[in-house]
Amino acid sequence: MATAAPIAPRAPAPWSDELRATLALAWPLILANVTQQVIQATDVLLLGRLGELELAAATLALNLTFTINVLLLGLLLACSPMMATALGRRFNAVRDVRRTFRAGLWLLILTMPPYWLLLWNSAPIMRALGQAPELADAGQTFLRAYMWCTAPWLVFQLLRLFVSALEKPRIVLWLSFAGIALNALLSWALIFGHLALPALGLIGAGIGSTLTWLVTCAALAAVVQRQRLFRRFHVWGRWWRLDSERTLAMVRLGAPIGITMALEMGVFALAAYFMGWIGAPAVAGHAIALQIAALTFMVPMGLSQAATVRVGRALGAGDRDGITRAGWTAWLVGVLFMATMAIGMWIFPGELVGLFLGPASSATVRDLAVTFVSVAAVFQIVDGAQVIGAGMLRGLHDTRWPLLFALFGYWALGLGIGSWLAFGQNWQGLGIWIGLAIGLASVAVLMAARWSMREKLGLTRPPNA
């Protein structure tokens, strides 16, 4: 009797395998990003019902913190490629990972005191940027309660980078979900005076955010300390000892990342202050449109973080084909998602804006927000492309040229064209948003071009251990 021919083994499918690995790493990061943004959006939603002045003041204050937060976050983001490359080179790189984590802690210890001093005295800065005294004073009132959440938020991000480098980010997702519920409850009670608590308005929103991030950060720290996979790295071991060599290495790699992110966020922050020159309704409309765009942006941001880890691991292993697959897989998934979101924002801008406004809100704010959301729909695709491109290059430890791209695209093109259209051509808020779209598009093209030239530029050579 003839024997059956042996079944040929299934040919490897590296691209589909990479897609599965990228999505497995990215989806908890994406949802965690979305949930963290929802925490912020909850405050905006509640303050929008408190009044236009409060919403505008908190928006100006938050834009000031956003810029500095992302600058410090960028310094910490150097942990991601450093840890990923070390783990790609040797899975049991316990000491190397711990040194990088401890360097991140020291960067926060050194930078937080001057940051808090600046936020405590933020009203003069807002007035110097041309804001009305009542807006500046209200914004400072909010910040003096909100500023204390910045330290636990940044420590939470450092812990998140550690667990993500080990490709175990799901715990961050569940804690972020819990943070949404906790922040919504605390902010609702403290802003409006529910649950036998005083009605503190802007101060209540700041206290609610601070308490939320203290609890969330403490919970993640406890998980890292207790779970066996994380505990073996002893990341808290001798944290009080300054490792100057590793800290300086993080600064060299992370400073361009932080400045790049700050340049992008700074453009949006300055755009909010330009809106303040136009009027409080423009600031409120800008805040709503920005929150909607920021929520969709969390998806490519998560894919960017996943791309950094996947590219960094392939770099550490010396796998050039793996580098190619890891980068382009994340980029294609992100661009397709943002194209879908762009269609939805273009078709339903009024319905999306309505989620953030009460029935008594002015028609002016509503109309401005709808206009801005329509423009935001146009730049969704390039916004996703540029942030994932930055993550891909970050995985190759390439951070200086992306900084120059951001300086040119966001500030020279985006801000220059936006301010000219807004004030030179009297397009006002619409002109500012068109300028933002042009700036993002230019950066996306430059990032993609540099990634395409990575072999010629020698970016795929593994760094020294």
Side-chain angles (χ1 to χ4, degrees):
M1 184 175 62
T3 58
I7 299 174
R10 182 177 66 90
W15 282 93
S16 60
D17 291 345
E18 180 60 43
L19 177 61
R20 282 192 292 270
T22 297
L23 293 179
L25 175 59
W27 77 261
L29 294 172
I30 290 168
L31 291 178
N33 286 340
V34 171
T35 54
Q36 290 180 44
Q37 189 60 37
V38 169
I39 292 174
Q40 189 69 70
T42 300
D43 288 339
V44 172
L45 187 150
L46 292 171
L47 290 171
R49 283 154 174 75
L50 193 62
E52 288 182 12
L53 174 65
E54 290 80 1
L55 175 58
T59 298
L60 295 174
L62 288 170
N63 274 280
L64 181 61
T65 64
F66 286 164
T67 304
I68 306 173
N69 278 352
V70 298
L71 176 61
L72 297 178
L73 177 60
L75 287 173
L76 297 182
L77 282 176
C79 290
S80 187
M82 291 172 74
M83 290 179 179
T85 303
L87 291 168
R89 185 184 298 117
R90 188 179 71 258
F91 176 74
N92 197 31
V94 170
R95 182 175 179 273
D96 210 16
V97 169
R98 182 171 60 248
R99 287 184 65 197
T100 299
F101 184 91
R102 188 168 62 193
L105 283 178
W106 268 99
L107 284 175
L108 293 182
I109 291 170
L110 295 172
T111 55
M112 291 312 298
Y115 181 23
W116 282 335
L117 182 64
L118 182 146
L119 294 183
W120 187 265
N121 299 282
S122 56
I125 299 173
M126 297 185 198
R127 292 195 196 99
L129 291 170
Q131 303 309 303
E134 61 271 18
L135 281 178
D137 292 341
Q140 179 174 275
T141 298
F142 169 74
L143 278 182
R144 287 186 173 181
Y146 179 85
M147 58 184 275
W148 307 110
C149 82
T150 54
W153 181 79
L154 286 164
V155 174
F156 182 88
Q157 302 307 319
L158 178 59
L159 289 165
R160 175 185 178 179
L161 292 169
F162 165 65
V163 300
S164 298
L166 294 174
E167 301 195 15
K168 300 293 182 182
R170 293 190 184 187
I171 183 60
V172 178
L173 170 61
W174 306 126
L175 290 176
S176 298
F177 274 132
I180 291 177
L182 180 62
N183 184 72
L185 178 64
L186 290 174
S187 294
W188 170 74
L190 290 167
I191 290 173
F192 300 108
H194 298 297
L195 303 178
L197 294 173
L200 300 177
L202 284 168
I203 294 175
I207 294 174
S209 295
T210 297
L211 293 174
T212 296
W213 284 112
L214 280 171
V215 171
T216 308
C217 177
L220 184 55
V223 169
V224 167
Q225 183 66 24
R226 293 176 65 87
Q227 277 199 6
R228 185 175 181 179
L229 173 64
F230 305 134
R231 188 175 65 239
R232 69 188 181 91
F233 286 88
H234 302 288
V235 293
W236 305 109
R238 298 184 179 181
W239 64 267
W240 57 87
R241 294 180 60 181
L242 174 61
D243 185 341
S244 57
E245 180 183 354
R246 183 56 58 92
T247 303
L248 288 174
M250 276 193 63
V251 171
R252 285 192 294 269
L253 182 61
I257 300 173
I259 296 171
T260 299
M261 295 173 65
L263 287 173
E264 179 182 4
M265 185 55 66
V267 164
F268 284 94
L270 194 55
Y273 284 88
F274 283 175
M275 296 292 182
W277 298 350
I278 297 169
V283 177
H286 174 78
I288 293 167
L290 195 57
Q291 281 297 325
I292 294 170
L295 284 171
T296 62
F297 180 75
M298 293 302 103
V299 175
M301 174 65 81
L303 286 163
S304 174
Q305 293 162 342
T308 298
V309 172
R310 296 293 301 168
V311 170
R313 287 216 168 195
L315 179 69
D319 183 359
R320 295 190 176 186
D321 290 337
I323 291 172
T324 299
R325 289 191 297 269
W328 283 124
T329 298
W331 191 89
L332 288 170
V333 172
V335 169
L336 286 173
F337 172 83
M338 292 300 268
T340 304
M341 293 300 100
I343 294 171
M345 291 170 64
W346 184 262
I347 296 174
F348 304 110
E351 289 79 0
L352 292 171
V353 168
L355 297 174
F356 291 84
L357 292 173
S361 299
S362 73
T364 302
V365 172
R366 186 180 300 272
D367 292 343
L368 285 171
V370 167
T371 300
F372 299 157
V373 168
S374 298
V375 179
V378 176
F379 74 57
Q380 287 288 288
I381 299 173
V382 293
D383 199 12
Q386 64 86 19
V387 72
I388 298 173
M392 292 152 61
L393 292 171
R394 196 175 301 141
L396 298 177
H397 296 218
D398 182 34
T399 60
R400 295 182 182 178
W401 274 95
L403 166 59
L404 298 177
F405 297 160
L407 183 62
F408 169 74
Y410 300 143
W411 288 80
L413 282 184
L415 194 61
I417 293 174
S419 58
W420 173 71
L421 290 174
F423 304 111
Q425 301 300 307
N426 200 33
W427 288 24
Q428 298 193 326
L430 176 61
I432 292 172
W433 275 79
I434 291 174
L436 293 174
I438 293 172
L440 289 168
S442 67
V443 174
V445 171
L446 291 170
M447 295 286 193
R450 185 161 178 83
W451 170 261
S452 299
M453 298 171 62
R454 63 193 178 280
E455 292 285 354
K456 294 180 179 179
L457 297 172
L459 301 178
T460 56
R461 289 194 294 268
N464 295 327

